[in-house]
Amino acid sequence: MTTETINESLDDSHNDDHHDHKMTGMKRWLYTTNHKDIGTLYLWFAFIMFLTGGALAMVIRIELFQPGLQIVEPDFFNQLTTVHGLIMVFGAIMPAFTGFANWMVPMMIGAPDMALPRMNNWSFWILPFAFAILLGSFFMESGAPNFGWTFYAPLSTTYSNGSTAFFVFAVHIMGISSIMGAINIVVTIMNLRAPGMTYMKMPLFVWTFFITAYLLIAVMPVLAGVVTMLLTDTYFGTSFFDAAGGGDPVMFQHIFWFFGHPEVYIMILPAFGIVSTIIPAFSRKKLFGYSSMVYATSSIALLSFIVWAHHMFTTGMPLFGELFFMYCTMLIAVPTGVKVFNWVATMWRGSLTFETPMLFSIAFVILFTIGGFSGLMLALTPVDFQYHDTYFVVAHFHYVLVTGSLFSIYAGAYFWLPKWTGNMYNESLAKWHFWSSLISVNLLFFPMHFLGLAGMPRRIPDYALQFADFNKWVSIGGFAFGLSQLIFLAVVIKCIKGGDKAPAKPWDGAEGLEWTVASPAPYHTFSTPPKVD
Amino acid sequence: MSEGTEQEANSHEIKPSNSKVIKKLVLVVFAMFGFGFGLVPLYDVFCDITGLNGKTNTVGVAYAADGIDTSRTIKVQFITRMAKGIPWKFEPVINEISVHPGEMKFVNFYAKNQSQRDIIGQAVPSVSPGLAAGYFQKIECFCFTQQPLKAGEEVEMGLQFYVDLDLPSEITTLTLSYTLYDISGKADS
């Protein structure tokens, strides 16, 4: 369906200028170096992975619907939670953001394309192989990885079910893909900005992707390193994490979280960029405190490198270490608070309208803040000892990743769908998607806070009887949330197939270069750079 | 066509600068990959300097305390555990001993290979609370060496230690834990 639309858009514009346009069907998508095509590929891939990871979550919620073992064995349950996490992090959220970067960054800075289009093609097309390896391990004798998405040693080494090698190679490929994508974004933003667009004139969206790309370049190699150590520990007799040979399993956690904490900001900073674009558009005001937003984003990125051990408070760190990581973690609430304040101040006395992108953005601000607050609670060392590895943690990171990152992706998708497809989406269907998602997602994740505080451990297929009622409601919320996402699929397909024709700038408060080109955006935009004053 | 050539001209113009940036970024990528591995020795050095992590000395030290502080009594507990897949019996002969700081003590651990094959074992010590590890001095320990035991063989292994005089006063109990690993495959002959 996407093919059709974009081919249509080609007919509208000047497709006979370029030979590469003539490719049709699969070849066009395999060989494409066009940033819009690759953006589309990333977004569809992310959505397919989102549904895949969601399907695994549905099985998890069926299993947890009632106490006792219902439909899956504990070992398979572990595989489900592990692969669900890996797919949502590396397969859904990150590629979706890369898709946004590919589509929007060149159009927002007035560039004709990404700086490194061939590498762009490659960085997308190796991704399906990574996930084929990861998902393929479900059908192997060993089963899929069952050691949690954090793959702590020795669970992933000594006690591995034999899937470690597949897991490691899949992560290697995902990492290479991310690094190439990040290099591309940095080079594009540094070198291809339209004349007159200084760094402090870039849309905040571009800034957040710029900073995120740097984070990726800094920490994805560390992830590659740590999985390589796992590989050699498991299969080649090294002892990085094996105490018998002089290694240290706690060191695994240090290296992993040195990657892992910046990684969580990799998944939220672009979300900040998206809502910082949408809230001003529907408030019909300029973004409040643009430069403070830039500095807040940068400080969050820098702080992310010195807080990793707050994931490890219970490993027996000395008091000084716990205090250091506790205070640094709490410090992150300051720049994040600046952001939330700025979003609210942008809306303050604005002429607000509540189209679906705005609804998702407002929900983002409120619900992400709830996730931030539970994060602050987890940052407090003394109480973290109780919350650690409970459903409280699950509630926390789903609030920031689902109602945070995912909601921002939906907001952005609705916001730019008219630009991508040339058609307006069906607003009432979209509102159904929003409201059903909003209600179900809170039914799904809010009770998890209480389950966690009451002591229900995460990653367990069975639980004590007193948790039964809450888990039933959580599961019902989960099924409702899962079904609600199919409405989004329907909206997108309908929007690609037709609908009211979108003008070049369908949102009257929107600003930015992307709205100066026709809708749908022609295959090639800004072949001559625009002038920015 | 005109548009295509224009684009090409554009990209020619920016190419040198592009490749410069790419080179730098790729360098960062490799540097950070190396840094990941660099964290391994850094981690050990850091733990060594700060005395964190409950790691004790790995080679014997000479007795170097100035006398015995009889005003304090420290309880030292011994625990052992077997890593997965080592069919040995391994336990302290006494579970607990009281020592004064500066006082030298000798205790024995009993090990028996209960399997039908020869196995090389390696005991890895850890002291809890972790900050006390730096004050727990081993003069002689079976954990300094690998321990080969033939099938069915048994042995008593010695540990000679003392606790430093300047052990922080809030610490009254030390737990020394040994985990025994089968390193037959990995042992250096």
Side-chain angles (χ1 to χ4, degrees), chain A residues 116 159 179 186-187 191-192 218 221 225 229 239 242-244 248 251 254 258 318 527-528, chain B residues 3 6 14 17-18 21-22 25 29 32-33 35-37 40 43 52-53 55 84 124 181 186:
Chain A
L116 312 162
Y159 302 101
I179 289 170
V186 170
V187 178
N191 286 352
L192 294 187
M229 292 180 215
S239 300
D242 184 3
D248 192 329
M251 185 176 68
H254 280 289
F258 185 84
S527 299
T528 336
Chain B
E3 199 181 301
E6 193 183 344
I14 52 174
S17 150
N18 268 4
V21 181
I22 295 164
L25 294 174
V29 168
M32 288 308 291
F33 186 73
F35 177 73
F37 284 87
V40 176
Y43 178 81
L52 301 180
N53 213 17
K55 282 186 177 168
K84 189 186 178 191
V124 175
Y181 293 93
K186 291 182 180 180

mmCIF file of all heavy atoms in Angstrom, chain A residues 116 159 179 186-187 191-192 218 221 225 229 239 242-244 248 251 254 258 318 527-528, chain B residues 3 6 14 17-18 21-22 25 29 32-33 35-37 40 43 52-53 55 84 124 181 186:
data_model
loop_
_atom_site.group_PDB
_atom_site.id
_atom_site.type_symbol
_atom_site.label_atom_id
_atom_site.label_comp_id
_atom_site.label_asym_id
_atom_site.label_seq_id
_atom_site.Cartn_x
_atom_site.Cartn_y
_atom_site.Cartn_z
ATOM 1 N N LEU A 116 24.590 10.162 3.707
ATOM 2 C CA LEU A 116 25.216 8.910 3.265
ATOM 3 C C LEU A 116 24.124 7.926 2.849
ATOM 4 O O LEU A 116 23.805 6.987 3.564
ATOM 5 C CB LEU A 116 26.050 8.317 4.410
ATOM 6 C CG LEU A 116 26.974 9.330 5.096
ATOM 7 C CD1 LEU A 116 27.417 8.824 6.450
ATOM 8 C CD2 LEU A 116 28.181 9.616 4.222
ATOM 9 N N TYR A 159 24.589 -20.605 32.421
ATOM 10 C CA TYR A 159 23.269 -21.222 32.494
ATOM 11 C C TYR A 159 22.444 -21.000 31.228
ATOM 12 O O TYR A 159 21.234 -21.153 31.233
ATOM 13 C CB TYR A 159 22.519 -20.664 33.710
ATOM 14 C CG TYR A 159 23.274 -20.899 35.004
ATOM 15 C CD1 TYR A 159 24.011 -19.890 35.595
ATOM 16 C CD2 TYR A 159 23.288 -22.157 35.588
ATOM 17 C CE1 TYR A 159 24.736 -20.112 36.763
ATOM 18 C CE2 TYR A 159 24.003 -22.391 36.748
ATOM 19 C CZ TYR A 159 24.722 -21.368 37.337
ATOM 20 O OH TYR A 159 25.439 -21.603 38.485
ATOM 21 N N ILE A 179 24.590 2.097 14.705
ATOM 22 C CA ILE A 179 25.759 2.973 14.612
ATOM 23 C C ILE A 179 25.799 3.640 13.244
ATOM 24 O O ILE A 179 26.029 4.849 13.137
ATOM 25 C CB ILE A 179 27.049 2.167 14.876
ATOM 26 C CG1 ILE A 179 27.122 1.778 16.355
ATOM 27 C CG2 ILE A 179 28.282 2.984 14.489
ATOM 28 C CD1 ILE A 179 28.211 0.783 16.677
ATOM 29 N N VAL A 186 24.338 12.271 12.251
ATOM 30 C CA VAL A 186 25.280 13.321 12.666
ATOM 31 C C VAL A 186 25.840 14.047 11.448
ATOM 32 O O VAL A 186 25.846 15.284 11.390
ATOM 33 C CB VAL A 186 26.425 12.722 13.513
ATOM 34 C CG1 VAL A 186 27.519 13.763 13.728
ATOM 35 C CG2 VAL A 186 25.901 12.245 14.847
ATOM 36 N N VAL A 187 26.297 13.272 10.450
ATOM 37 C CA VAL A 187 26.900 13.910 9.276
ATOM 38 C C VAL A 187 25.864 14.763 8.559
ATOM 39 O O VAL A 187 26.156 15.887 8.128
ATOM 40 C CB VAL A 187 27.494 12.843 8.326
ATOM 41 C CG1 VAL A 187 28.073 13.508 7.091
ATOM 42 C CG2 VAL A 187 28.563 12.044 9.036
ATOM 43 N N ASN A 191 26.490 18.743 8.169
ATOM 44 C CA ASN A 191 26.948 19.242 6.868
ATOM 45 C C ASN A 191 25.852 19.668 5.904
ATOM 46 O O ASN A 191 26.147 20.338 4.931
ATOM 47 C CB ASN A 191 27.799 18.173 6.175
ATOM 48 C CG ASN A 191 29.163 18.065 6.821
ATOM 49 O OD1 ASN A 191 29.509 18.875 7.656
ATOM 50 N ND2 ASN A 191 29.917 17.060 6.435
ATOM 51 N N LEU A 192 24.639 19.249 6.120
ATOM 52 C CA LEU A 192 23.634 19.491 5.089
ATOM 53 C C LEU A 192 22.566 20.504 5.500
ATOM 54 O O LEU A 192 21.531 20.595 4.857
ATOM 55 C CB LEU A 192 22.966 18.172 4.671
ATOM 56 C CG LEU A 192 23.863 17.157 3.974
ATOM 57 C CD1 LEU A 192 23.038 15.993 3.464
ATOM 58 C CD2 LEU A 192 24.631 17.782 2.828
ATOM 59 N N ALA A 218 28.335 6.601 21.045
ATOM 60 C CA ALA A 218 29.162 6.384 22.227
ATOM 61 C C ALA A 218 28.891 5.041 22.894
ATOM 62 O O ALA A 218 29.819 4.412 23.400
ATOM 63 C CB ALA A 218 28.942 7.511 23.231
ATOM 64 N N PRO A 221 28.855 0.728 20.696
ATOM 65 C CA PRO A 221 30.080 -0.096 20.670
ATOM 66 C C PRO A 221 30.347 -0.790 22.004
ATOM 67 O O PRO A 221 30.898 -1.894 22.027
ATOM 68 C CB PRO A 221 31.189 0.919 20.364
ATOM 69 C CG PRO A 221 30.501 2.059 19.706
ATOM 70 C CD PRO A 221 29.148 2.132 20.332
ATOM 71 N N GLY A 225 30.799 -4.664 22.601
ATOM 72 C CA GLY A 225 31.900 -5.240 23.370
ATOM 73 C C GLY A 225 31.410 -6.224 24.405
ATOM 74 O O GLY A 225 31.930 -7.338 24.525
ATOM 75 N N MET A 229 32.159 -10.253 24.776
ATOM 76 C CA MET A 229 32.722 -10.931 25.949
ATOM 77 C C MET A 229 31.859 -12.126 26.357
ATOM 78 O O MET A 229 32.373 -13.181 26.719
ATOM 79 C CB MET A 229 32.818 -9.953 27.120
ATOM 80 C CG MET A 229 33.842 -8.858 26.919
ATOM 81 S SD MET A 229 33.848 -7.776 28.367
ATOM 82 C CE MET A 229 34.178 -6.211 27.614
ATOM 83 N N SER A 239 37.210 -15.794 30.632
ATOM 84 C CA SER A 239 36.582 -15.684 31.951
ATOM 85 C C SER A 239 36.327 -14.243 32.338
ATOM 86 O O SER A 239 36.630 -13.832 33.443
ATOM 87 C CB SER A 239 37.471 -16.328 33.009
ATOM 88 O OG SER A 239 37.657 -17.669 32.707
ATOM 89 N N ASP A 242 33.414 -14.895 34.693
ATOM 90 C CA ASP A 242 33.397 -16.180 35.359
ATOM 91 C C ASP A 242 34.382 -16.138 36.521
ATOM 92 O O ASP A 242 35.596 -16.062 36.315
ATOM 93 C CB ASP A 242 33.780 -17.267 34.346
ATOM 94 C CG ASP A 242 33.693 -18.644 34.964
ATOM 95 O OD1 ASP A 242 33.287 -18.735 36.134
ATOM 96 O OD2 ASP A 242 34.037 -19.618 34.267
ATOM 97 N N ALA A 243 33.854 -16.178 37.745
ATOM 98 C CA ALA A 243 34.730 -16.052 38.916
ATOM 99 C C ALA A 243 35.769 -17.161 38.967
ATOM 100 O O ALA A 243 36.867 -16.970 39.476
ATOM 101 C CB ALA A 243 33.900 -16.044 40.188
ATOM 102 N N ALA A 244 35.444 -18.346 38.421
ATOM 103 C CA ALA A 244 36.385 -19.462 38.468
ATOM 104 C C ALA A 244 37.683 -19.097 37.770
ATOM 105 O O ALA A 244 38.755 -19.539 38.156
ATOM 106 C CB ALA A 244 35.771 -20.687 37.810
ATOM 107 N N ASP A 248 34.461 -11.614 36.933
ATOM 108 C CA ASP A 248 33.536 -11.098 37.916
ATOM 109 C C ASP A 248 32.167 -10.873 37.284
ATOM 110 O O ASP A 248 32.019 -10.059 36.385
ATOM 111 C CB ASP A 248 34.082 -9.779 38.450
ATOM 112 C CG ASP A 248 33.324 -9.319 39.685
ATOM 113 O OD1 ASP A 248 32.128 -9.624 39.776
ATOM 114 O OD2 ASP A 248 33.943 -8.656 40.529
ATOM 115 N N MET A 251 30.825 -7.346 37.259
ATOM 116 C CA MET A 251 31.390 -6.465 36.244
ATOM 117 C C MET A 251 30.516 -6.454 34.996
ATOM 118 O O MET A 251 30.399 -5.437 34.316
ATOM 119 C CB MET A 251 32.796 -6.909 35.878
ATOM 120 C CG MET A 251 33.482 -5.958 34.922
ATOM 121 S SD MET A 251 35.157 -6.453 34.596
ATOM 122 C CE MET A 251 34.894 -7.951 33.665
ATOM 123 N N HIS A 254 28.046 -3.808 35.413
ATOM 124 C CA HIS A 254 28.606 -2.469 35.244
ATOM 125 C C HIS A 254 28.742 -2.130 33.756
ATOM 126 O O HIS A 254 28.338 -1.061 33.310
ATOM 127 C CB HIS A 254 29.966 -2.363 35.926
ATOM 128 C CG HIS A 254 29.864 -2.157 37.413
ATOM 129 N ND1 HIS A 254 29.437 -0.991 37.966
ATOM 130 C CD2 HIS A 254 30.118 -2.999 38.446
ATOM 131 C CE1 HIS A 254 29.440 -1.099 39.291
ATOM 132 N NE2 HIS A 254 29.840 -2.315 39.604
ATOM 133 N N PHE A 258 26.475 0.549 31.705
ATOM 134 C CA PHE A 258 27.159 1.709 31.122
ATOM 135 C C PHE A 258 26.593 1.974 29.728
ATOM 136 O O PHE A 258 26.468 3.118 29.297
ATOM 137 C CB PHE A 258 28.670 1.471 31.042
ATOM 138 C CG PHE A 258 29.411 2.679 30.555
ATOM 139 C CD1 PHE A 258 29.760 3.686 31.436
ATOM 140 C CD2 PHE A 258 29.720 2.831 29.212
ATOM 141 C CE1 PHE A 258 30.410 4.814 30.982
ATOM 142 C CE2 PHE A 258 30.364 3.970 28.757
ATOM 143 C CZ PHE A 258 30.711 4.966 29.651
ATOM 144 N N PRO A 318 29.326 -0.198 48.022
ATOM 145 C CA PRO A 318 29.575 0.530 49.270
ATOM 146 C C PRO A 318 28.685 1.764 49.341
ATOM 147 O O PRO A 318 28.184 2.234 48.315
ATOM 148 C CB PRO A 318 31.042 0.924 49.164
ATOM 149 C CG PRO A 318 31.340 0.907 47.720
ATOM 150 C CD PRO A 318 30.453 -0.123 47.110
ATOM 151 N N SER A 527 16.184 20.015 -3.483
ATOM 152 C CA SER A 527 17.357 19.783 -4.322
ATOM 153 C C SER A 527 18.162 21.077 -4.391
ATOM 154 O O SER A 527 19.382 21.054 -4.494
ATOM 155 C CB SER A 527 16.936 19.367 -5.724
ATOM 156 O OG SER A 527 16.202 18.170 -5.631
ATOM 157 N N THR A 528 17.468 22.195 -4.359
ATOM 158 C CA THR A 528 18.143 23.476 -4.134
ATOM 159 C C THR A 528 17.823 23.864 -2.704
ATOM 160 O O THR A 528 16.663 23.900 -2.318
ATOM 161 C CB THR A 528 17.559 24.582 -5.042
ATOM 162 O OG1 THR A 528 16.962 23.953 -6.166
ATOM 163 C CG2 THR A 528 18.591 25.579 -5.420
ATOM 164 N N GLU B 3 18.567 18.594 -12.543
ATOM 165 C CA GLU B 3 18.480 18.520 -11.094
ATOM 166 C C GLU B 3 19.492 17.509 -10.552
ATOM 167 O O GLU B 3 20.149 17.749 -9.538
ATOM 168 C CB GLU B 3 17.056 18.108 -10.713
ATOM 169 C CG GLU B 3 16.723 18.426 -9.286
ATOM 170 C CD GLU B 3 15.324 17.971 -8.961
ATOM 171 O OE1 GLU B 3 14.393 18.448 -9.622
ATOM 172 O OE2 GLU B 3 15.177 17.124 -8.087
ATOM 173 N N GLU B 6 22.944 18.867 -10.572
ATOM 174 C CA GLU B 6 23.074 19.885 -9.527
ATOM 175 C C GLU B 6 23.329 19.222 -8.170
ATOM 176 O O GLU B 6 24.194 19.625 -7.411
ATOM 177 C CB GLU B 6 21.776 20.681 -9.474
ATOM 178 C CG GLU B 6 21.879 21.948 -8.657
ATOM 179 C CD GLU B 6 20.526 22.632 -8.599
ATOM 180 O OE1 GLU B 6 19.650 22.286 -9.412
ATOM 181 O OE2 GLU B 6 20.364 23.484 -7.747
ATOM 182 N N ILE B 14 30.576 18.969 -0.733
ATOM 183 C CA ILE B 14 30.619 18.708 0.700
ATOM 184 C C ILE B 14 31.387 17.447 1.047
ATOM 185 O O ILE B 14 31.600 17.157 2.196
ATOM 186 C CB ILE B 14 29.184 18.584 1.264
ATOM 187 C CG1 ILE B 14 28.418 17.593 0.455
ATOM 188 C CG2 ILE B 14 28.505 19.925 1.308
ATOM 189 C CD1 ILE B 14 27.063 17.297 1.021
ATOM 190 N N SER B 17 34.440 17.318 3.621
ATOM 191 C CA SER B 17 34.025 17.577 4.982
ATOM 192 C C SER B 17 33.256 16.387 5.543
ATOM 193 O O SER B 17 33.440 16.005 6.688
ATOM 194 C CB SER B 17 33.199 18.851 4.968
ATOM 195 O OG SER B 17 32.246 18.833 5.968
ATOM 196 N N ASN B 18 32.413 15.775 4.694
ATOM 197 C CA ASN B 18 31.692 14.569 5.134
ATOM 198 C C ASN B 18 32.654 13.502 5.613
ATOM 199 O O ASN B 18 32.500 12.937 6.680
ATOM 200 C CB ASN B 18 30.880 13.989 3.975
ATOM 201 C CG ASN B 18 29.472 14.535 3.953
ATOM 202 O OD1 ASN B 18 29.143 15.397 4.752
ATOM 203 N ND2 ASN B 18 28.666 14.048 3.043
ATOM 204 N N VAL B 21 34.218 14.088 8.974
ATOM 205 C CA VAL B 21 33.325 13.814 10.101
ATOM 206 C C VAL B 21 33.171 12.312 10.293
ATOM 207 O O VAL B 21 33.228 11.796 11.417
ATOM 208 C CB VAL B 21 31.951 14.476 9.871
ATOM 209 C CG1 VAL B 21 31.027 14.205 11.043
ATOM 210 C CG2 VAL B 21 32.104 15.967 9.660
ATOM 211 N N ILE B 22 32.978 11.609 9.160
ATOM 212 C CA ILE B 22 32.792 10.159 9.253
ATOM 213 C C ILE B 22 33.998 9.511 9.904
ATOM 214 O O ILE B 22 33.876 8.657 10.787
ATOM 215 C CB ILE B 22 32.541 9.565 7.856
ATOM 216 C CG1 ILE B 22 31.228 10.089 7.291
ATOM 217 C CG2 ILE B 22 32.527 8.039 7.913
ATOM 218 C CD1 ILE B 22 31.082 9.869 5.813
ATOM 219 N N LEU B 25 33.946 10.035 13.564
ATOM 220 C CA LEU B 25 32.902 9.261 14.242
ATOM 221 C C LEU B 25 33.260 7.785 14.291
ATOM 222 O O LEU B 25 33.034 7.115 15.300
ATOM 223 C CB LEU B 25 31.553 9.476 13.551
ATOM 224 C CG LEU B 25 30.994 10.896 13.645
ATOM 225 C CD1 LEU B 25 29.728 11.034 12.817
ATOM 226 C CD2 LEU B 25 30.707 11.276 15.086
ATOM 227 N N VAL B 29 33.688 5.273 17.437
ATOM 228 C CA VAL B 29 33.063 3.956 17.548
ATOM 229 C C VAL B 29 34.096 2.915 17.985
ATOM 230 O O VAL B 29 33.877 2.157 18.934
ATOM 231 C CB VAL B 29 32.402 3.542 16.214
ATOM 232 C CG1 VAL B 29 32.024 2.075 16.245
ATOM 233 C CG2 VAL B 29 31.182 4.406 15.950
ATOM 234 N N MET B 32 35.250 3.502 21.552
ATOM 235 C CA MET B 32 34.289 3.079 22.569
ATOM 236 C C MET B 32 34.199 1.560 22.644
ATOM 237 O O MET B 32 33.956 1.001 23.706
ATOM 238 C CB MET B 32 32.905 3.683 22.298
ATOM 239 C CG MET B 32 32.798 5.170 22.561
ATOM 240 S SD MET B 32 33.379 5.706 24.190
ATOM 241 C CE MET B 32 32.136 5.015 25.288
ATOM 242 N N PHE B 33 34.391 0.888 21.499
ATOM 243 C CA PHE B 33 34.436 -0.583 21.533
ATOM 244 C C PHE B 33 35.612 -1.016 22.406
ATOM 245 O O PHE B 33 35.488 -1.896 23.252
ATOM 246 C CB PHE B 33 34.575 -1.125 20.106
ATOM 247 C CG PHE B 33 34.494 -2.625 20.028
ATOM 248 C CD1 PHE B 33 33.282 -3.268 20.209
ATOM 249 C CD2 PHE B 33 35.622 -3.389 19.763
ATOM 250 C CE1 PHE B 33 33.194 -4.647 20.139
ATOM 251 C CE2 PHE B 33 35.540 -4.765 19.686
ATOM 252 C CZ PHE B 33 34.324 -5.400 19.874
ATOM 253 N N PHE B 35 36.998 0.819 24.682
ATOM 254 C CA PHE B 35 36.729 1.250 26.052
ATOM 255 C C PHE B 35 35.926 0.196 26.808
ATOM 256 O O PHE B 35 36.166 -0.053 27.993
ATOM 257 C CB PHE B 35 35.980 2.582 26.028
ATOM 258 C CG PHE B 35 35.589 3.088 27.389
ATOM 259 C CD1 PHE B 35 36.537 3.603 28.244
ATOM 260 C CD2 PHE B 35 34.271 3.034 27.807
ATOM 261 C CE1 PHE B 35 36.183 4.064 29.502
ATOM 262 C CE2 PHE B 35 33.904 3.490 29.061
ATOM 263 C CZ PHE B 35 34.865 4.007 29.913
ATOM 264 N N GLY B 36 34.962 -0.434 26.089
ATOM 265 C CA GLY B 36 34.192 -1.515 26.700
ATOM 266 C C GLY B 36 35.111 -2.583 27.279
ATOM 267 O O GLY B 36 34.942 -3.026 28.416
ATOM 268 N N PHE B 37 36.119 -2.961 26.482
ATOM 269 C CA PHE B 37 37.067 -3.963 26.969
ATOM 270 C C PHE B 37 38.010 -3.356 28.006
ATOM 271 O O PHE B 37 38.439 -4.025 28.943
ATOM 272 C CB PHE B 37 37.866 -4.547 25.805
ATOM 273 C CG PHE B 37 37.068 -5.527 25.012
ATOM 274 C CD1 PHE B 37 36.260 -5.105 23.971
ATOM 275 C CD2 PHE B 37 37.090 -6.868 25.325
ATOM 276 C CE1 PHE B 37 35.493 -6.000 23.260
ATOM 277 C CE2 PHE B 37 36.332 -7.783 24.616
ATOM 278 C CZ PHE B 37 35.534 -7.347 23.574
ATOM 279 N N VAL B 40 37.337 -3.674 31.700
ATOM 280 C CA VAL B 40 37.657 -4.894 32.447
ATOM 281 C C VAL B 40 38.856 -4.674 33.367
ATOM 282 O O VAL B 40 38.732 -4.826 34.587
ATOM 283 C CB VAL B 40 37.872 -6.080 31.490
ATOM 284 C CG1 VAL B 40 38.287 -7.315 32.249
ATOM 285 C CG2 VAL B 40 36.600 -6.333 30.691
ATOM 286 N N TYR B 43 38.138 -1.887 35.929
ATOM 287 C CA TYR B 43 37.285 -2.338 37.016
ATOM 288 C C TYR B 43 38.126 -2.987 38.106
ATOM 289 O O TYR B 43 37.963 -2.696 39.285
ATOM 290 C CB TYR B 43 36.279 -3.323 36.437
ATOM 291 C CG TYR B 43 35.323 -3.942 37.418
ATOM 292 C CD1 TYR B 43 34.206 -3.246 37.834
ATOM 293 C CD2 TYR B 43 35.533 -5.226 37.890
ATOM 294 C CE1 TYR B 43 33.317 -3.817 38.714
ATOM 295 C CE2 TYR B 43 34.647 -5.804 38.769
ATOM 296 C CZ TYR B 43 33.535 -5.101 39.179
ATOM 297 O OH TYR B 43 32.661 -5.671 40.048
ATOM 298 N N LEU B 52 36.980 -2.234 47.170
ATOM 299 C CA LEU B 52 35.583 -2.621 47.061
ATOM 300 C C LEU B 52 35.464 -4.064 46.609
ATOM 301 O O LEU B 52 36.450 -4.715 46.293
ATOM 302 C CB LEU B 52 34.877 -1.720 46.040
ATOM 303 C CG LEU B 52 34.903 -0.225 46.341
ATOM 304 C CD1 LEU B 52 34.187 0.536 45.257
ATOM 305 C CD2 LEU B 52 34.249 0.028 47.687
ATOM 306 N N ASN B 53 34.251 -4.538 46.589
ATOM 307 C CA ASN B 53 33.945 -5.791 45.919
ATOM 308 C C ASN B 53 34.285 -7.033 46.712
ATOM 309 O O ASN B 53 34.120 -8.142 46.238
ATOM 310 C CB ASN B 53 34.680 -5.851 44.579
ATOM 311 C CG ASN B 53 33.875 -6.607 43.565
ATOM 312 O OD1 ASN B 53 32.678 -6.801 43.749
ATOM 313 N ND2 ASN B 53 34.510 -7.058 42.520
ATOM 314 N N LYS B 55 37.013 -8.392 47.425
ATOM 315 C CA LYS B 55 38.110 -9.226 46.921
ATOM 316 C C LYS B 55 39.290 -9.156 47.883
ATOM 317 O O LYS B 55 39.679 -8.079 48.325
ATOM 318 C CB LYS B 55 38.533 -8.759 45.533
ATOM 319 C CG LYS B 55 37.568 -9.252 44.471
ATOM 320 C CD LYS B 55 38.056 -8.929 43.080
ATOM 321 C CE LYS B 55 37.084 -9.507 42.068
ATOM 322 N NZ LYS B 55 37.333 -9.007 40.727
ATOM 323 N N LYS B 84 28.030 -24.769 40.108
ATOM 324 C CA LYS B 84 27.275 -25.805 39.398
ATOM 325 C C LYS B 84 28.224 -26.849 38.797
ATOM 326 O O LYS B 84 29.211 -26.499 38.165
ATOM 327 C CB LYS B 84 26.488 -25.133 38.268
ATOM 328 C CG LYS B 84 25.503 -26.034 37.589
ATOM 329 C CD LYS B 84 24.904 -25.304 36.388
ATOM 330 C CE LYS B 84 23.934 -26.185 35.638
ATOM 331 N NZ LYS B 84 23.561 -25.604 34.355
ATOM 332 N N VAL B 124 37.358 -19.641 45.089
ATOM 333 C CA VAL B 124 37.433 -18.187 44.948
ATOM 334 C C VAL B 124 36.827 -17.550 46.189
ATOM 335 O O VAL B 124 35.663 -17.774 46.504
ATOM 336 C CB VAL B 124 36.687 -17.721 43.682
ATOM 337 C CG1 VAL B 124 36.666 -16.196 43.600
ATOM 338 C CG2 VAL B 124 37.348 -18.306 42.445
ATOM 339 N N TYR B 181 35.054 -23.948 42.176
ATOM 340 C CA TYR B 181 34.748 -24.145 40.763
ATOM 341 C C TYR B 181 35.539 -25.319 40.214
ATOM 342 O O TYR B 181 36.669 -25.570 40.629
ATOM 343 C CB TYR B 181 35.116 -22.895 39.959
ATOM 344 C CG TYR B 181 34.263 -21.703 40.271
ATOM 345 C CD1 TYR B 181 34.670 -20.785 41.237
ATOM 346 C CD2 TYR B 181 33.063 -21.481 39.602
ATOM 347 C CE1 TYR B 181 33.883 -19.673 41.527
ATOM 348 C CE2 TYR B 181 32.285 -20.376 39.888
ATOM 349 C CZ TYR B 181 32.700 -19.472 40.850
ATOM 350 O OH TYR B 181 31.942 -18.388 41.136
ATOM 351 N N LYS B 186 39.935 -25.591 32.093
ATOM 352 C CA LYS B 186 40.615 -24.309 31.894
ATOM 353 C C LYS B 186 41.972 -24.229 32.578
ATOM 354 O O LYS B 186 42.727 -23.300 32.365
ATOM 355 C CB LYS B 186 39.742 -23.182 32.471
ATOM 356 C CG LYS B 186 38.481 -22.920 31.716
ATOM 357 C CD LYS B 186 37.733 -21.772 32.353
ATOM 358 C CE LYS B 186 36.442 -21.483 31.612
ATOM 359 N NZ LYS B 186 35.713 -20.387 32.227
#
